[in-house]
């Protein structure tokens, strides 16, 4: 569990930032922590501490593994609309297969999927389809194999979304926003103390309705999120609940023309599906946790997390295309009564003590997780060839005639795991830190589908995973490090497996350097991850089968920097070089891993122009701009054929004006996304000729926030 001891620090940090904004000054944050040493957690674009790297509130410079944090200020400035967009400036991180934009999917260092158990909300496993919500405060990313800390998952890393906490200082705001796509959004955020005993509340309510950027569709999302926290002298207890209703287009993008190896030559706004391509549902999340300081050296942390997603969808699915004539074969598919839920329990003890002349920072505990997914009724319709991608006429493929497919219904995946872990960071002297940890996890997983139900695979096994590292401090603000870690994930499938499916296993090696000055944080990392028993899907005679794809290897270099480079100029920058390929599979050997470009870079600069006057009104003006670029994106068809999509380049900008009007604090912000309306591609999916997600076109947004 993460950030237990930092709840009060988060609350005070947010209070200071909000108060600063209402006084028309930049939020230079000074954090009053809940325990010794947790100071200066976040300052603008810079972060010095994060819980995701060690399951304790540790200095990032002391963690022998790369950690990146997207701060609340950077999220406010960029105004991202999704988790993938929030992370697209973090080195080694990219969007994966989002199932037509309906689920979060993040690729880390070449590995990851939309259900790889690597998505956390406040340290707890989340199965919510959309984890970047109005309650998000910041996002932490631990890169590389992390099963020792968090259990079974892919070796790319962990994403932890930190939510906004109740504050002990009254803050209230109402926000209105609009987009050039069409639509409007409203949000209210209320927080403050209840009495004078350390009890605080927060209520966030948000509604967004925006037209989709392509030729039809609409996104709607409503969120209600109440939370309570009690900050005692030695004990902190918090409870948070979030409910979301949503409706989003299912858009699988465009398709590659195998004759040219490029996306088909049609306008990027043109969709190949129908207006009923929509996923609509609701999700709920509960987070209950406590921290109790036993004494000056030992703290007990515990928590319970629950998340649940329920949805229904319909879609006109493209099965094949005659690229010469443009005739597309489509059918109506649907999932009705899709449900996924996860329960997480954790109890761990964190302590600091001296023994044998060495300071030990210990964290250890037990975890329990139950993750169930059942897709109830799956509908299939007859094939239809009345649609032409070059001259589309919509409305000729209706939902009428679709019937429940008993063989495809009741798709089930039930995973239960129990883990115990311990980790020790040994401070040998002022310069040397040794880290050693181990975890043992036992899991049961059952998958299958059909009426009557047919078991696809059934696994019960245990696995031990180690973690080790060393840190050498060249100076108090500059360290070198080396680390080794492992990960595992059970291999199960609802489809028919080809042969046995032993668990996916991975080993990761990493060396690097971290610089942490008063104003700037930078990390340089070189990594090598080797993964074997990779699960892949192969379509044979129209039937999907699951098999192991041998091994894969991802090697590369990453650089991240964030903070201030002068009193008024801030930056966030990154560069990634990744060589990620299948190694010894009979069909895929030598192919690049999907959705992982070799080169990617980003640079965003923000300038504080101080107080400016517009007519009779004074206010603080800030403005920023930046760009991200990435090289050719590989897309495979599952048979060994690889296509290379064009490189991408996107530029964004914003300007904000914080002022007082009629005695009320109002924050205005104008954003331009994809300034030059560039055509770029974000991810590919599916065996056969791959479908490709298209990055959104140019968008103008305007936000007005009243603080009262």
């Amino acid at each position: 569990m993460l950030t237990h001891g930092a709840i009060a620090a988060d609350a005070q940090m947010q209070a200071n930032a909000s108060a600063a904004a209402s006084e028309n000054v930049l939020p230079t944050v000074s954090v009053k922590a809940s325990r010794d040493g947790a100071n200066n957690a976040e300052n603008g674009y810079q972060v010095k501490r994060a819980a995701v790297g060690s399951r304790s509130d540790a200095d990032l410079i002391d963690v022998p593994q790369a950690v990146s944090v997207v701060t609340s200020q950077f999220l406010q400035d960029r105004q991202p609309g999704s988790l993938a967009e929030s992370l697209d400036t973090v080195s080694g991180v990219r969007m994966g297969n989002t199932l037509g934009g309906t689920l979060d999917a993040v690729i880390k260092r070449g590995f990851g999927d939309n259900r790889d158990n690597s998505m956390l909300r406040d340290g707890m496993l989340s199965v919510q389809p959309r984890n970047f919500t109005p309650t998000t405060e910041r996002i932490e990313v631990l890169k590389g194999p992390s099963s020792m800390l968090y259990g079974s998952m892919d070796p790319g890393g962990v994403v932890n979304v930190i939510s906004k906490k109740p504050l002990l200082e009254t803050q209230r705001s109402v926000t209105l926003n609009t987009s050039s796509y069409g639509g409007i959004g409203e949000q209210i955020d209320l927080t403050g103390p209840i009495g004078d005993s350390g009890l605080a509340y927060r209520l966030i309510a948000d509604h967004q309705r925006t037209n989709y950027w392509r030729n039809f569709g609409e996104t709607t999302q409503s969120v209600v999120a109440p939370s309570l926290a009690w900050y005692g002298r030695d004990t902190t207890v918090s409870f948070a609940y979030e409910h979301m209703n949503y409706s989003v287009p299912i858009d699988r993008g465009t398709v590659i023309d195998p004759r040219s190896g490029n996306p088909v030559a049609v306008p990027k706004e043109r969709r190949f599906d129908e207006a009923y391509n929509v996923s609509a549902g609701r999700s709920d999340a509960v987070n209950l946790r406590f921290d109790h300081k036993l004494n000056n050296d030992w703290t007990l942390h515990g928590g319970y997390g629950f998340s649940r997603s329920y949805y229904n969808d319909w879609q006109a699915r493209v099965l094949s295309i005659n690229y010469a004539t443009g005739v597309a074969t489509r059918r109506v598919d649907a999932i009705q009564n899709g449900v996924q839920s996860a329960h997480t329990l954790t109890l761990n003890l964190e302590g600091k003590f001296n023994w044998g002349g060495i300071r030990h920072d210990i964290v250890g505990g037990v975890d329990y997780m139950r993750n169930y997914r059942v897709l109830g009724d799956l509908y299939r319709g007859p094939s239809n060839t009345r649609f032409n991608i070059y001259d589309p006429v919509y409305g000729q493929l209706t939902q009428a005639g679709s019937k429940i497919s008993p063989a495809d219904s009741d798709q089930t995946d039930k995973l239960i795991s129990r883990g115990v872990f311990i980790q020790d960071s040994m401070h040998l002297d002022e310069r040397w830190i040794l880290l050693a940890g181990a975890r043992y996890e036992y899991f049961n997983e059952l998958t299958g589908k059909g009426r009557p139900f047919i078991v696809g695979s059934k696994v019960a096994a245990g696995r031990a995973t180690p973690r080790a590292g060393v840190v050498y401090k060249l100076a108090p603000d500059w360290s070198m490090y080396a680390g080794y870690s492992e990960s595992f994930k059970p291999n199960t499938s609802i489809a028919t497996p080809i042969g046995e499916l032993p668990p996916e296993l991975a080993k990761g090696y990493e060396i690097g350097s971290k610089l942490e000055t008063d104003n700037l944080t930078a990390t340089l990392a070189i990594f090598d991850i080797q993964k074997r028993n990779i699960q892949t899907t192969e379509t044979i005679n129209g039937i999907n089968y699951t098999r192991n794809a041998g091994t894969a290897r991802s090697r590369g270099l990453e650089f991240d920097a964030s903070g201030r480079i002068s009193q008024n100029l801030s930056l966030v920058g990154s560069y990634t070089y990744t060589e990620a390929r299948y190694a010894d599979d009979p069909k895929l050997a030598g192919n690049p891993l999907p959705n992982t470009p070799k080169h990617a870079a980003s640079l965003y600069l923000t300038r504080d122009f101080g107080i400016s006057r517009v007519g009779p009104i004074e206010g603080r003006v800030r403005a920023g701009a930046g760009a991200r670029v990435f090289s050719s994106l590989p897309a495979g068809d599952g048979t060994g054929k690889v296509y290379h999509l064009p490189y991408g380049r996107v530029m964004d900008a914003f300007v904000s004006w914080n002022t007082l009007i009629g005695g009320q604090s109002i924050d205005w912000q104008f954003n331009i996304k994809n300034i030059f309306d560039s055509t770029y591609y974000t991810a590919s999916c599916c065996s056969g000729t791959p479908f490709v997600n298209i990055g959104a076109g140019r968008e103008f947004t305007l936000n007005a926030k009243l603080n009262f």
Side-chain angles (χ1 to χ4, degrees):
M1 185 168 179
L2 309 182
T3 68
H4 295 286
I7 297 176
D10 288 342
Q12 188 63 42
M13 177 180 65
Q14 295 168 38
N16 291 342
S18 300
S22 66
E23 296 171 3
N24 287 329
V25 295
L26 282 175
T28 300
V29 181
S30 60
V31 178
K32 183 176 180 181
S34 61
R35 65 172 182 265
D36 294 342
N39 295 317
N40 302 320
E42 183 174 319
N43 183 4
Y45 291 173
Q46 183 189 26
V47 169
K48 295 185 178 182
R49 307 177 72 86
V52 73
S54 61
R55 291 188 63 156
S56 63
D57 189 36
D59 289 318
L60 295 182
I61 199 171
D62 293 341
V63 176
Q65 204 164 333
V67 179
S68 294
V69 180
V70 183
T71 69
S72 57
Q73 183 64 62
F74 195 56
L75 292 174
Q76 171 62 38
D77 290 344
R78 288 199 63 214
Q79 293 289 305
S82 66
L83 182 66
E85 188 181 354
S86 304
L87 297 172
D88 60 19
T89 61
V90 177
S91 67
V93 176
R94 284 196 55 81
M95 178 192 291
N97 176 15
T98 61
L99 295 183
T102 63
L103 292 176
D104 288 332
V106 181
I107 302 292
K108 292 85 59 182
R109 293 183 171 176
F111 299 106
D113 203 348
N114 46 52
R115 294 188 181 99
D116 63 1
N117 296 337
S118 69
M119 189 60 58
L120 309 178
R121 292 284 299 271
D122 292 314
M124 300 291 192
L125 175 69
S126 172
V127 298
Q128 292 176 262
R130 304 163 71 82
N131 288 281
F132 181 75
T133 75
T135 66
T136 300
E137 175 69 19
R138 68 180 185 274
I139 305 171
E140 304 174 345
V141 182
L142 173 65
K143 302 175 189 176
S146 304
S147 285
M148 187 250 116
L149 289 174
Y150 301 106
S152 62
M153 62 181 59
D154 261 327
V158 175
V159 176
N160 185 38
V161 179
I162 304 295
S163 62
K164 298 174 182 177
K165 305 298 187 295
L167 309 179
L168 290 171
E169 179 178 346
T170 299
Q171 302 290 337
R172 295 170 296 183
S173 68
V174 174
T175 303
L176 298 177
N177 61 74
T178 186
S179 165
S180 59
Y181 294 159
I184 193 169
E186 312 89 21
Q187 182 184 124
I188 186 168
D189 186 350
L190 309 174
T191 187
I194 302 175
D196 56 4
S197 63
L199 184 64
Y201 78 96
R202 190 158 198 160
L203 174 64
I204 298 174
D206 181 274
H207 176 74
Q208 304 289 325
R209 181 186 63 80
T210 307
N211 291 336
Y212 192 48
W213 74 274
R214 300 187 79 191
N215 55 335
F216 56 83
E218 181 183 74
T219 296
T220 61
Q221 177 179 287
S222 298
V223 174
V224 177
S227 57
L228 292 170
W230 178 63
Y231 305 107
R233 187 187 67 176
D234 297 320
T235 305
T236 297
V237 180
S238 66
F239 170 82
Y241 170 70
E242 179 175 307
H243 174 78
M244 175 190 291
N245 288 315
Y246 67 92
S247 174
V248 298
I250 301 177
D251 178 16
R252 297 188 180 273
T254 188
V255 67
I256 292 177
D257 185 339
R259 300 174 302 174
S260 65
N262 293 313
V264 291
V266 300
K268 65 180 180 180
E269 292 82 9
R270 181 178 298 171
R271 295 180 60 175
F272 301 156
D273 44 43
E274 296 289 338
Y276 55 75
N277 267 55
V278 171
S279 177
R282 60 183 182 268
S283 65
D284 297 274
V286 173
N287 192 296
L288 174 64
R289 58 188 185 178
F290 74 87
D291 310 281
H292 178 64
K293 192 172 183 179
L294 302 174
N295 54 43
N296 290 334
D297 298 322
W298 293 91
T299 304
L300 183 66
H301 309 296
Y304 165 71
F306 168 76
S307 61
R308 181 180 186 271
S309 171
Y310 172 86
Y311 69 96
N312 297 291
D313 67 40
W314 288 92
Q315 60 178 306
R317 183 190 293 272
V318 176
L319 302 178
S320 63
I321 296 175
N322 183 320
Y323 296 97
T325 65
V327 173
T329 300
R330 304 185 302 169
R331 76 174 183 215
V332 176
D333 286 0
I335 296 174
Q336 301 291 291
N337 302 311
V339 181
Q340 185 169 7
S341 63
H343 297 266
T344 306
L345 285 166
T346 184
L347 183 66
N348 61 75
L349 185 65
E350 181 183 352
K352 303 178 187 294
F353 63 91
N354 291 313
W355 183 57
I358 298 174
R359 193 186 99 202
H360 296 261
D361 294 344
I362 293 279
V363 60
V366 294
D367 297 325
Y368 170 85
M369 184 266 288
R370 192 189 79 171
N371 184 355
Y372 282 11
R373 177 167 61 100
V374 179
L375 308 184
D377 300 324
L378 270 76
Y379 286 74
R380 298 289 185 264
S383 296
N384 181 294
T385 58
R386 299 177 64 187
F387 185 83
N388 192 300
I389 65 171
Y390 303 134
D391 185 21
V393 177
Y394 299 98
Q396 300 185 86
L397 178 63
T398 67
Q399 296 152 281
S402 296
K403 299 179 180 179
I404 292 177
S405 171
D408 295 305
S409 296
D410 291 340
Q411 296 188 11
T412 300
D413 187 343
K414 296 183 176 181
L415 172 65
I416 298 176
S417 68
R418 313 148 192 89
V420 57
F421 73 96
I422 187 168
Q423 178 178 270
D424 186 7
S425 293
M426 295 164 277
H427 296 252
L428 305 181
D429 55 28
E430 294 296 322
R431 295 182 179 272
W432 288 97
I433 303 172
L434 293 181
L435 179 144
R439 179 188 191 92
Y440 181 79
E441 182 151 341
Y442 187 83
F443 59 88
N444 305 80
E445 187 165 18
L446 170 70
T447 61
K449 65 177 180 179
R451 297 173 180 169
F453 187 76
I454 299 175
V455 174
S457 55
K458 186 175 182 180
V459 176
R463 186 76 189 177
T465 51
R467 184 191 191 198
V470 58
V471 177
Y472 177 71
K473 294 242 183 123
L474 298 165
D477 59 0
W478 184 17
S479 71
M480 305 289 292
Y481 72 90
Y484 170 82
S485 54
E486 295 185 4
S487 72
F488 76 97
K489 188 175 72 170
N491 255 337
T492 54
S493 174
I494 60 171
T496 303
I498 301 175
E500 295 184 1
L501 298 176
E504 295 184 344
L505 306 173
K507 299 178 179 180
Y509 303 85
E510 184 174 329
I511 60 173
S513 181
K514 298 183 180 183
L515 178 68
E516 188 180 274
T517 68
D518 290 340
N519 299 314
L520 188 70
T521 296
T523 301
L524 176 68
I526 300 172
F527 65 90
D528 187 335
I529 301 174
Q530 301 175 46
K531 180 181 178 182
R532 67 182 189 271
N533 303 333
I534 298 172
Q535 181 173 302
T536 188
T537 300
E538 183 173 348
T539 303
I540 303 174
N541 296 325
I543 300 175
N544 289 332
Y545 294 87
T546 300
R547 64 179 178 86
N548 279 352
T551 64
R553 187 176 188 181
S554 177
R555 296 176 290 178
L557 177 147
E558 296 169 347
F559 175 76
D560 291 90
S562 58
R564 285 190 295 133
I565 53 178
S566 71
Q567 183 64 31
N568 299 316
L569 189 63
S570 301
L571 71 77
V572 169
S574 67
Y575 169 74
T576 309
Y577 170 79
T578 308
E579 179 71 31
R581 294 185 179 275
Y582 292 101
D584 60 0
D585 181 75
K587 291 187 177 180
L588 303 178
N591 284 7
L593 296 182
N595 303 320
T596 306
K598 237 178 210 190
H599 301 275
S602 66
L603 179 63
Y604 284 77
L605 297 171
T606 299
R607 169 89 184 209
D608 176 12
F609 292 92
I611 302 298
S612 300
R613 179 180 292 274
V614 178
I617 302 174
E618 288 187 342
R620 180 173 294 277
V621 177
R622 299 174 68 250
R628 59 190 190 275
V629 297
F630 53 90
S631 61
S632 175
L633 193 68
D637 66 357
T639 68
K641 175 69 175 178
V642 177
Y643 303 95
H644 293 276
L645 299 170
Y647 77 95
R649 59 201 184 282
V650 188
M651 187 172 181
D652 309 315
F654 83 96
V655 60
S656 68
W657 185 42
N658 307 324
T659 188
L660 289 172
I661 300 179
Q664 296 293 329
S665 170
I666 301 181
D667 303 334
W668 303 87
Q669 184 163 319
F670 177 69
N671 286 71
I672 309 177
K673 299 181 180 181
N674 193 0
I675 294 174
F676 301 108
D677 199 23
S678 300
T679 299
Y680 66 102
Y681 304 97
T682 57
S684 64
C685 76
C686 311
S687 57
T689 303
F691 284 82
V692 180
N693 295 112
I694 310 173
R698 180 169 48 228
E699 180 185 18
F700 303 93
T701 64
L702 178 64
N703 289 263
K705 179 180 178 182
L706 171 66
N707 304 287
F708 62 97

